[in-house]
Structures are given as structure tokens and as C-alpha cells.
């Protein structure tokens, strides 16, 4: 008895967590600053915490009404129909639902390289395959229609990440529209806006009015501070919205996740202050870090530090966890998430010490 052939599949490499690193170093996790997974450094939205407490007594039931309520609230937020909102366990889950809904065995997706690892992983799990378009460091990871369309060869799904992980660049709306117009009728252009709240470009959701081959991905993991609850969604084109019922795992998001997301969605104050703080901290990192960085529209900054593995290991020994971008194919870069101001200041100081020592 064995699994199917998984030799083409790779494991997802997450940013390292403070609990894991603290155990390894034999220290208290509170001594560490974790800036490796682009999480919200201000915690969850307080209204979401209250909603979780209130709902704790009702988790013996399936999330029937909360799932429907959240779907409706998200639909109202974006001015789309509830059928267009595909609630999922994180944006990752929505990527799976799109794979299930669109890919026949052997169909391919096109994704950025470097880029978020889960697009090709999900395609492969669903018996599809993946091709990539290169975003080049020399061109500051700029995402133009030409870059993407030159590599495009009739793939069933084209993933655009805006802001892009790990570089922070965005795809302008006219570029998304140009790509959607240029690809085959049967190609879905998915704009992954997991970091959309932090960007100054508008959401591509408005393109759904005129394009029936554009979808967007959003998550409650970042700006809303609910990564631990695994709740996200896709907004999909209206004509095939009823496919959700045929591809989703029943009750895609749990009761506490739905209740917390409902509360957080209404908590604009928390989201706005999170976004302001991330924008300030990404400017701070770019100004104060003694390494080249790239302009970022996300809650993180990519920095060219030389030997990324050595720098991130040395920083970790000093209590600062950043993301070594070797797994993205960028062995000379680290990605630094925006922390609170004290966290970010301390992280930059430690990183500058490490970079200076490594350079000697
Ligand atoms: C670009 C991008 N898309 C999607 C996700 C998945 O987010 P979620 O936590 O909602 O699954 C991430 C997570 O880091 C990401 O960086």
C-alpha cells in the first residue's frame, strides 16, 4: 500500500515561527521577534476576539448561518452577488477550489517565479501541472503584461500576485485588464490580493463587471490579523459562480472563523491602523536598513543581504526571525515583515549588525 506518485510534489516551506525557534535555542518565545510570515503584529482585531469568546459555546453545531452571513457580508462589501464569494480555509483553500473547478487532468497554470509556492502545488495536487513566468530582480520584479504574456501558452489559470510575495510589487489594473483581454477565452486570470489592503492600487474586483475571466483572492490572515483561523475567499465571475457547491469542502470555514471574520470585517478602525502602521514600517525598513531593498506595497520588505541563509541564521541567534528567501530561489534575499515600531526598530538594528559582521 502506498500513496500515488508524489515525487513531483514539494513541501510548503513556511516562515519559521517563534515557538519553533525558541525550542531550538532553548529560550522563551517572548524574547524573539518574529517577522517571517507577514502576520499582523498588532494581534487579531479586538472585535474578532470578542466574537470568538461569544461563539465558543456554540461550536457543537456546524457553521450554518455564520457561513452564510459572512458570505453575504463579503458580497455586500465588494458589491457582488453572494454566489460569487467562495469562502475557503484561507486564500490557500480558495486556490484549491479554483484548481478543482477549472483543471482537467494535465491542464496547466501559469504562476510567477519567484512567487507564492502554493499555486503550482495546488495545481499538481489536482492532477494538473504548472509553468512559470520570470519576474526579474534586475528589473525590480516589475510585473508588466509583456512579462506575463510572453510566457503565456494557453494555460487554464494565470496567477498574478498583487502585491507580489516576496517582492512587494503590484500589477496595475490596466495591466490586469490587458492580460485578461489577451488570454484565451477559457483562461481565468486570478489576482491574488492577499496583501491588497496594504497597497495603494485598487482591487481588481472592479474588473469583474466587464471581464468574465477574472477572479480575485483575499484573506483575513494579514490585515485582519486572523491567520490562525484560516479564513479567506475568492470572488469569482458571475456566470459560473454556482460551481462552488460542487467543489467546496462542506462548511469551508469554521464557526469561530466565520464569526471572527464577520466582526473583523466591520472593524475598519483596526484594519486602517494596521495598514497605516505597515506603511510606516515598510518606509522605515527601507530608510534604515543597510542593505538594498525593493519598494513594497505589502506589509513586508525584500532586502538583498548577500548570503540569506547565513544572515537569517545569525539574526535568529540575536532574537530576530526573518524569512530566508532561498526557497523562493532568491538565495541572497531576506523578506522582513513589518512589525510594531519597537519590533521593527530592534529588528533593523540587529540586522544591520549582522550585515556589517557578515560583510567583514
Ligand atoms: C501571496 C499569498 N497568497 C496567499 C496566501 C495564503 O494566505 P492564507 O493564510 O489566507 O491561506 C499567502 C500567505 O502568506 C500569500 O503570501
Amino acid at each position: 500500500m502506498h500513496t500515488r506518485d508524489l515525487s513531483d510534489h514539494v513541501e510548503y516551506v513556511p516562515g519559521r515561527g517563534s515557538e519553533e525557534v525558541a525550542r531550538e535555542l532553548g529560550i522563551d518565545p517572548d524574547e524573539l521577534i518574529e517577522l517571517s510570515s507577514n502576520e499582523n503584529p498588532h494581534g487579531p482585531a479586538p472585535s474578532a476576539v470578542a466574537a470568538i469568546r461569544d461563539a465558543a459555546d456554540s461550536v457543537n453545531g456546524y457553521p450554518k448561518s455564520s457561513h452564510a452571513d459572512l458570505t453575504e457580508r463579503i458580497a455586500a462589501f465588494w458589491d457582488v452577488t453572494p454566489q460569487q464569494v467562495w469562502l475557503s480555509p484561507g486564500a490557500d483553500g480558495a486556490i484549491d477550489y479554483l484548481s478543482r473547478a477549472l483543471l482537467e487532468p494535465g491542464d496547466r497554470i501559469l504562476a510567477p517565479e519567484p512567487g507564492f509556492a502554493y499555486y503550482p502545488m495546488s495545481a499538481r495536487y489536482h492532477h494538473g501541472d504548472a509553468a512559470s513566468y520570470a519576474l526579474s530582480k534586475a528589473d525590480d520584479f516589475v510585473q508588466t503584461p509583456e512579462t506575463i504574456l510572453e510566457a503565456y501558452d494557453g494555460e487554464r489559470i494565470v496567477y498574478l500576485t498583487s502585491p507580489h510575495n516576496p517582492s512587494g510589487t503590484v500589477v496595475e489594473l490596466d495591466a490586469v485588464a490587458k492580460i485578461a483581454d489577451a488570454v484565451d477565452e477559457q483562461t481565468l486570470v486570478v489576482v491574488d490580493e492577499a496583501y491588497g489592503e496594504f497597497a495603494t492600487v485598487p482591487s481588481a474586483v472592479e474588473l469583474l463587471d466587464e471581464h468574465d475571466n477574472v477572479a480575485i483572492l483575499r484573506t483575513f490572515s494579514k490585515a485582519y490579523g486572523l491567520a490562525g483561523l484560516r479564513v479567506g475567499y475568492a470572488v469569482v465571475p458571475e456566470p459560473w459562480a454556482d460551481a462552488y457547491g460542487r467543489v467546496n469542502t462542506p462548511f469551508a470555514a469554521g464557526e469561530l472563523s466565520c464569526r471572527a471574520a464577520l466582526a473583523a470585517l466591520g472593524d475598519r478602525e483596526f484594519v486602517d491602523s494596521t495598514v497605516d502602521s505597515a506603511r510606516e514600517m515598510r518606509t522605515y525598513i527601507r530608510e534604515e536598513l543597510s542593505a538594498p531593498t525593493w519598494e513594497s506595497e505589502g506589509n513586508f520588505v525584500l532586502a538583498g543581504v548577500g548570503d540569506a541563509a547565513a544572515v537569517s541564521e545569525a539574526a535568529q541567534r540575536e532574537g530576530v526571525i526573518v524569512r530566508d528567501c532561498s526557497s523562493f530561489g532568491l538565495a541572497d534575499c531576506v523578506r522582513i515583515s513589518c512589525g510594531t515600531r519597537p519590533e521593527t526598530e530592534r529588528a533593523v538594528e540587529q540586522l544591520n549588525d549582522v550585515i556589517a559582521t557578515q560583510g567583514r
Side-chain angles (χ1 to χ4, degrees), residues 144-217:
T144 63
E146 292 71 33
T147 330
I148 291 132
L149 292 172
E150 259 168 43
Y152 173 71
D153 188 20
E155 282 81 7
R156 188 75 158 105
I157 305 177
V158 173
Y159 282 101
L160 310 176
T161 319
S162 183
H164 173 253
N165 178 9
S167 73
T169 60
V170 289
V171 193
E172 300 290 340
L173 279 202
D174 56 350
V176 179
K178 204 165 162 189
I179 295 164
D181 286 336
V183 295
D184 295 347
E185 209 184 311
Q186 291 303 321
T187 294
L188 180 71
V189 176
V190 177
V191 189
D192 180 346
E193 299 178 353
Y195 303 99
E197 289 82 2
F198 302 102
T200 46
V201 289
S203 168
V205 77
E206 65 187 69
L207 298 178
L208 270 72
D209 286 342
E210 298 199 345
H211 294 81
D212 69 357
N213 65 337
V214 174
I216 65 153
L217 297 175

Side-chain angles (χ1 to χ4, degrees), residues 39-45 48 220-229 264 270-271 274:
E39 291 151 339
N40 192 322
H42 305 288
F220 286 92
S221 295
K222 311 294 178 181
Y224 295 92
L226 303 180
L229 290 177
F270 177 78
V271 176
T274 290

Side-chain angles (χ1 to χ4, degrees), residues 258-332:
C258 291
R259 293 273 168 227
L262 266 167
L265 197 57
D267 198 340
R268 298 322 298 170
E269 206 181 308
F270 177 78
V271 176
D272 291 347
S273 72
T274 290
V275 169
D276 287 347
S277 152
R279 288 179 177 172
E280 252 178 61
M281 290 307 103
R282 72 192 182 203
T283 304
Y284 177 87
I285 296 170
R286 294 207 66 208
E287 284 175 356
E288 301 297 329
L289 193 75
S290 56
T293 55
W294 282 268
E295 191 172 348
S296 170
E297 291 269 301
N299 62 344
F300 52 86
V301 171
L302 186 70
V305 294
D307 184 340
V311 166
S312 45
E313 263 169 46
Q316 197 171 285
R317 283 195 297 273
E318 300 303 323
V320 174
I321 314 172
V322 294
R323 178 74 190 250
D324 166 8
C325 288
S326 302
S327 67
F328 285 93
L330 298 170
D332 54 350

